Amino acid sequence: MKNVTSLKFVDEALIDLTTEFGWVDVAGASAGTACAGIKSTDRDDVVVLVAPGTAAAVTTQSTAAAAPCVWTRNRVPGPIHAVVVNAGNANASTGEAGRRDVESMAEYVAEHLGCGKNEVLVCSTGVIGVPLPMAKVKVGIERACDGIGATTEDVAQAILTTDLVTKVAAAYGGGARIAGFAKGSGMIHPNMATMLGFLVTDAAVEPVALQQLLEDVTTRTFNAVSVDGDTSTNDTLIIQATGHGPILTKNSPEWQEFAQALYSVCRELARAIARDGEGASHIITVELEGLASDEAARHAARAVCRSPLVKTAIAGGDLNWGRIVGALGAAQVPGLDTLDLDVAGIPVLRRGSPIPFDEALAASALSKEEIVVRCRLPGVGVGIAWGSDLTEGYIRINADYRS
Amino acid sequence: MKNVTSLKFVDEALIDLTTEFGWVDVAGASAGTACAGIKSTDRDDVVVLVAPGTAAAVTTQSTAAAAPCVWTRNRVPGPIHAVVVNAGNANASTGEAGRRDVESMAEYVAEHLGCGKNEVLVCSTGVIGVPLPMAKVKVGIERACDGIGATTEDVAQAILTTDLVTKVAAAYGGGARIAGFAKGSGMIHPNMATMLGFLVTDAAVEPVALQQLLEDVTTRTFNAVSVDGDTSTNDTLIIQATGHGPILTKNSPEWQEFAQALYSVCRELARAIARDGEGASHIITVELEGLASDEAARHAARAVCRSPLVKTAIAGGDLNWGRIVGALGAAQVPGLDTLDLDVAGIPVLRRGSPIPFDEALAASALSKEEIVVRCRLPGVGVGIAWGSDLTEGYIRINADYRS
């Protein structure tokens, strides 16, 4: 039985990642962190990322977008000096007071760094609906600005909430460096729920081109991750371009390689988020070939990643592939009576009819950390999505999160 | 602080339920059950519901609709003699063989009852992607047909899968009797995932009017239940009208009361499904007043019921109301900066700004079995949805379901 393996993903053009440098090692970039004691006093929870140049950003599509997201999206693409981030409080659903607090955060940073408040982007993550403790935040910002010189690991650590591990990635591309780090593990779904990501490059890129590139890459990476189906109020992905390196435009011969390097970095961070799904024991990769467009294929792949029944079956090591078909059907995917389906390398459906499989082989295949689901349907689209499985650990973490 | 209590739901016109009769006690209706041993040999798993007359049905909107759903939807509304149901195997994703098996089931029933195969509707529930053991099913159908005379509790029990309890309801309305029973606890979401419901009335109702009424009531009851966000391949709700009682048309003075009685029965069954969510410890009722239409309001209410983060917070007894706002935002609900929100009777948001609340009071309020979430936004719509919370028990049940 031939496996479903003819998929032609953009992944074929992946650029190798490097560990030679991190976010703070890109020319023109530096960072500081501090403990403001927003949620607890035993960890840093404020980060200031300094990288004067241009910036682009993608923020949540939620209609309950937090005040910092609204502030940030109104200032990109454009000239940006720094980004301030706090963990422990999302400054979401905080009304007019929350909007004033965002502006104050930008002002504090601007005062300390000697730039304009409109050159400062703001990100927050944490509990919703609680006013920011601004006296603490102010002290944290002051300390972070005074302590510029933090390592990439320091800043990647300071933005975490329920994450188990830090997430960093870097690559060379088009003669430039690109580095990034991210947080996210729960509430992750298409559109980057409670996901924060920070990228920097030494390339000089015109703001509008940088914004378009970031949006395109986000669609295929961070927005293809699903942990639990909710989209957060605070998702933000920012790229800062310092201009210390090569000047790149869409017409540069190096542009495509630069774009691929950015894709590779974002893909790695997105997969790290899926792998770190709260309480997750498996990463689920769904590759779908077929349907009318890449967008339709991605939508279908995400629907599988999002299904709680698929997630729990995989957590239980159970090759209950009917739930994958059920998830595709619930997502209104057409043509399922011709579906070819492989799970963890095991062919289970050909043209919509079940293929007998060996239960012992299936149990062994499902014990691997990464479970690849491959679907083939008529059509020209190609889509990929990543998610985590759903374990009892997820429930424990989320039932107790706020308290 | 005035609570959000001005909601005017159709619930105001509820008809009192009765325990005086059940499905088999409606004139012209009788049923048989048998053990076919499809999944195990220690319980009945085949049901035949005999109620010659007219029938209407609503089946899953999944594009992976199981063969029995396709068979049933092609024969309603119209003259129907009986319904056959099996548990333990969904006959879904079974290809051409599955389609033949449905027809054989209808033929077996027709032979035994002396009607045409096209007067027999078919429902299946259970594992997906496994061929029906037709030799066993045939014997089960024969025994069930020979054993007509089962009680309502017998048939309600025989259709269960992971349900903890049977679900029955009945009411008088418009001079007629209406009785029903249902199964469903996991995979429940808008559009009735893995939900089977069977209604019978002694009224004589013209098929098209019966179909329209059933669809309208389903939208406001079974389709407003969400346990875990997946829509099943096999959902079916059938009403049989025997015509032994009053002749009712849309122009009858009794029609409205008949419709309200049907609504009351379906609402009771839908809420029983939500309460029996796999591993659930709370029932969550979301009432939303506002938005452009009842449909938009229901969509928003369902989004809250479906959110795993809302579900886990309520399971944990945590008044983390920000997750409710997050779920509304993720569902693209507009106007959230003017949201009024009460949870379990506690005002937490007014015009989008948080209201301080007493944590001890909140913990006490969230210890109740039913948690009511009330949302008010600008607009004329009214919507209600029911769901269960999400506990570690849910994960255990679903990780091990197939094996």
Side-chain angles (χ1 to χ4, degrees), chain A residues 357-377:
Chain A
F357 58 86
D358 182 79
E359 291 279 355
L361 187 69
S364 163
L366 287 172
S367 67
K368 301 209 175 80
E369 192 214 349
E370 178 161 1
I371 306 299
V372 179
V373 174
R374 288 206 169 100
C375 312
R376 187 163 48 204
L377 285 165

Side-chain angles (χ1 to χ4, degrees), chain A residues 343-355:
Chain A
V343 180
I346 299 173
V348 294
L349 267 184
R350 283 298 175 272
R351 293 199 60 75
S353 288
I355 306 290

Side-chain angles (χ1 to χ4, degrees), chain A residues 108-168:
Chain A
Y108 297 158
V109 173
E111 280 170 23
H112 278 78
L113 299 181
C115 64
K117 70 179 178 187
N118 287 314
E119 293 176 290
V120 179
L121 304 181
V122 182
C123 298
S124 299
T125 179
V127 69
I128 302 177
V130 178
L132 270 178
M134 284 305 290
K136 290 180 181 176
V137 170
K138 186 175 184 181
V139 172
I141 287 175
E142 288 168 359
R143 287 184 188 155
C145 289
D146 290 344
I148 297 293
T151 67
T152 299
E153 186 62 22
D154 289 339
V155 293
Q157 187 74 47
I159 62 168
L160 303 185
T161 52
T162 54
D163 305 55
L164 303 175
V165 295
T166 56
K167 296 149 193 88
V168 301

Side-chain angles (χ1 to χ4, degrees), chain A residues 18-382:
Chain A
T18 179
T19 55
E20 289 171 18
F21 62 93
W23 197 99
V24 304
D25 308 310
V26 171
S30 59
T33 75
C35 174
I38 294 170
K39 192 174 172 189
S40 68
T41 54
D42 57 359
R43 52 161 288 187
D44 285 357
D45 51 11
V46 169
V47 173
V48 174
L49 300 169
V50 186
T54 59
V58 178
T59 57
T60 181
Q61 292 175 29
S62 171
T63 52
C69 286
V70 176
W71 174 273
T72 290
R73 75 169 64 137
N74 287 340
R75 281 156 187 83
V76 292
I80 293 297
H81 192 93
V83 177
V84 58
V85 192
N86 75 272
N89 185 312
N91 192 14
S93 283
T94 42
E96 182 53 35
R99 289 186 277 276
R100 284 195 303 270
D101 289 345
V102 172
E103 187 165 359
S104 297
M105 288 176 70
E107 280 172 351
Y108 297 158
V109 173
E111 280 170 23
H112 278 78
L113 299 181
C115 64
K117 70 179 178 187
N118 287 314
E119 293 176 290
V120 179
L121 304 181
V122 182
C123 298
S124 299
T125 179
V127 69
I128 302 177
V130 178
L132 270 178
M134 284 305 290
K136 290 180 181 176
V137 170
K138 186 175 184 181
V139 172
I141 287 175
E142 288 168 359
R143 287 184 188 155
C145 289
D146 290 344
I148 297 293
T151 67
T152 299
E153 186 62 22
D154 289 339
V155 293
Q157 187 74 47
I159 62 168
L160 303 185
T161 52
T162 54
D163 305 55
L164 303 175
V165 295
T166 56
K167 296 149 193 88
V168 301
Y172 294 98
R177 289 181 168 198
I178 300 172
F181 62 99
K183 69 112 343 196
S185 67
M187 295 177 68
I188 304 295
H189 179 50
N191 313 321
M192 311 190 317
T194 306
M195 205 288 300
L196 296 181
F198 303 97
L199 303 158
V200 70
T201 178
D202 57 355
V205 186
E206 183 270 319
V208 171
L210 191 64
Q211 181 72 27
Q212 286 173 350
L213 177 61
L214 185 69
E215 290 177 11
D216 180 46
V217 169
T218 302
T219 300
R220 292 187 286 129
T221 56
F222 291 106
N223 282 357
V225 173
S226 173
V227 171
D228 66 16
D230 263 13
T231 299
S232 139
T233 51
N234 288 65
D235 310 322
T236 307
L237 177 69
I238 293 172
I239 184 166
Q240 294 169 270
T242 65
H244 287 237
I247 298 170
L248 298 178
T249 73
K250 285 186 181 177
N251 298 322
S252 307
E254 302 87 358
W255 180 260
Q256 195 55 38
E257 191 186 302
F258 176 72
Q260 289 291 356
L262 181 63
Y263 172 80
S264 298
V265 169
C266 290
R267 178 186 180 279
E268 175 66 16
L269 295 175
R271 281 172 53 88
I273 287 169
R275 196 178 289 119
D276 198 24
E278 287 168 347
S281 61
H282 293 88
I283 176 170
I284 306 170
T285 299
V286 179
E287 299 174 350
L288 191 144
E289 182 185 335
L291 300 178
S293 65
D294 290 357
E295 190 182 349
R298 269 196 304 270
H299 172 77
R302 279 199 306 248
V304 174
C305 280
R306 191 174 52 209
S307 161
L309 289 163
V310 171
K311 289 168 176 290
T312 49
I314 289 179
D318 182 9
L319 185 42
N320 191 345
W321 57 264
R323 291 182 177 178
I324 296 168
V325 180
L328 291 169
Q332 301 297 302
V333 172
L336 294 176
D337 52 357
T338 66
L339 178 66
D340 289 349
L341 179 64
D342 291 0
V343 180
I346 299 173
V348 294
L349 267 184
R350 283 298 175 272
R351 293 199 60 75
S353 288
I355 306 290
F357 58 86
D358 182 79
E359 291 279 355
L361 187 69
S364 163
L366 287 172
S367 67
K368 301 209 175 80
E369 192 214 349
E370 178 161 1
I371 306 299
V372 179
V373 174
R374 288 206 169 100
C375 312
R376 187 163 48 204
L377 285 165
V380 298
V382 165

Side-chain angles (χ1 to χ4, degrees), chain B residues 23 41 55 62 92 166 225 234 280-281 330 345 351:
Chain B
W23 197 99
T41 54
S62 170
T166 55
V225 174
N234 289 65
S281 60
R351 292 199 61 76

